[in-house]
Amino acid sequence: FYGGFNPAYPIISEANIEAKGGNATASGGTGGQGGYVELATDYHSDNTTTDTTVTQSGTIDISGGNATASGGTGGNSSGAIFLGSDNHGDCWNVTTTGKLIAKGGKGGTTGGNGGYINLNSNEIDTVYKLANLSVTGGKGGTTAGSTGSAWVDGVQVLP
């Protein structure tokens, strides 16, 4: 975050980023929790510039780990994928053509919960494809995990 009147500049990410939870292999194990990925550039609203953008085209995956052995519980996607702003200032525009995945892990008995995706542009509508966002709960032998949520410019788009 650049405070006062100092402008921030663009973030361009073409990389694939994985912050997935690890898999559990033992009977009755629990998959690891997914992580947190944030790409944010902020500008002071008195210093509006179209340079403060986030452009992302790789795959970002923060899914929970699997635990498919007998009695296993899938890991939760407990973190978030956050592109844009609203932490400290504003972001002119977010454009994403990549896949954003925050799924719960598969479990032998219980699936893990899906995570959270937030895309936020302050000046121009965020550009994204709904089909590229995934926050599903993990499948379980007995009980599936809960679905997470995805928000774009303050509007819930999933589930």
Side-chain angles (χ1 to χ4, degrees), residues 11-139:
I11 294 175
I12 300 170
S13 175
E14 298 173 346
N16 293 330
I17 300 170
E18 281 193 3
K20 295 169 62 171
N23 294 329
T25 56
S27 181
T30 300
Q33 294 185 353
Y36 179 88
V37 174
E38 179 175 357
L39 301 176
T41 181
D42 297 329
Y43 76 88
H44 190 278
S45 59
D46 291 337
N47 190 22
T48 58
T49 173
T50 58
D51 288 340
T52 54
T53 61
V54 175
T55 304
Q56 183 272 332
S57 61
T59 296
I60 299 176
D61 192 342
I62 62 163
S63 296
N66 298 321
T68 55
S70 175
T73 300
N76 295 328
S77 176
S78 58
I81 297 172
F82 185 85
L83 305 182
S85 189
D86 266 4
N87 281 340
H88 304 288
D90 294 328
C91 178
W92 191 270
N93 176 244
V94 174
T95 299
T96 178
T97 57
K99 292 185 183 286
L100 305 178
I101 304 166
K103 294 181 179 181
K106 295 177 185 174
T109 302
T110 305
N113 296 327
Y116 179 73
I117 297 171
N118 187 348
L119 312 175
N120 195 53
S121 299
N122 296 96
E123 301 298 331
I124 298 173
D125 289 344
T126 293
V127 177
Y128 74 103
K129 292 181 182 178
L130 186 59
N132 285 354
L133 309 181
S134 180
V135 293
T136 58
K139 293 182 180 181

